Amino acid sequence: AYYADAVAWAAENEIVYGYDNGSFAPEQKLTREQMISILYRYAQFKAFDVSGIEDVDLANYTDYAQISDYAAPAMQWACSTGLLTGNTQSIMPGQIANRAQIAAVMMRFLEM
């Protein structure tokens, strides 16, 4: 597949992990928490400052209980940096990230 080298690099550098059963599913759509987790790990890889996440209380969002444990630090980081904006009452972690959301988050990430 055209993305094989990129996936291998990201896996080697612990930016992507795949699923618990060992599968990767590159054709599957990304949830918002998956997208943010990948960006968070990439930011760590590039030695970005990812501190300050403890300042964000995810319990302020009505759907915080839906955030997967693995994604909580990444979601805190995304909220603290302004990567995730818009709806101030919910964070929608399991919602599929549409192209517009991905583009907006990527633009904000590149401006960091």
Side-chain angles (χ1 to χ4, degrees):
Y2 69 91
Y3 49 77
D5 290 342
V7 170
W9 176 86
E12 286 172 22
N13 290 288
E14 298 182 346
I15 295 167
V16 296
Y17 296 115
Y19 294 98
D20 289 340
N21 66 3
S23 67
F24 185 70
E27 301 295 328
Q28 211 169 27
K29 294 178 180 180
L30 281 177
T31 64
R32 289 167 53 93
E33 71 178 7
Q34 290 169 334
M35 170 185 62
I36 293 301
S37 294
I38 291 168
L39 284 177
Y40 178 68
R41 290 184 210 119
Y42 182 73
Q44 290 175 313
F45 174 79
K46 295 298 283 182
F48 286 21
D49 181 8
V50 294
S51 63
I53 63 173
E54 60 279 349
D55 297 337
V56 174
D57 185 3
L58 294 176
N60 291 331
Y61 298 97
T62 57
D63 55 357
Y64 78 95
Q66 297 171 20
I67 299 170
S68 300
D69 289 340
Y70 80 88
M75 295 297 270
Q76 285 177 294
W77 170 74
C79 291
S80 73
T81 59
L83 284 178
L84 288 181
T85 62
N87 189 337
T88 58
Q89 294 179 345
S90 63
I91 200 162
M92 302 170 282
Q95 181 184 44
I96 299 301
N98 64 41
R99 290 176 185 248
Q101 291 169 337
I102 294 169
V105 168
M106 290 301 297
M107 183 188 73
R108 291 182 200 123
F109 180 80
L110 293 172
E111 291 176 346
M112 291 177 68

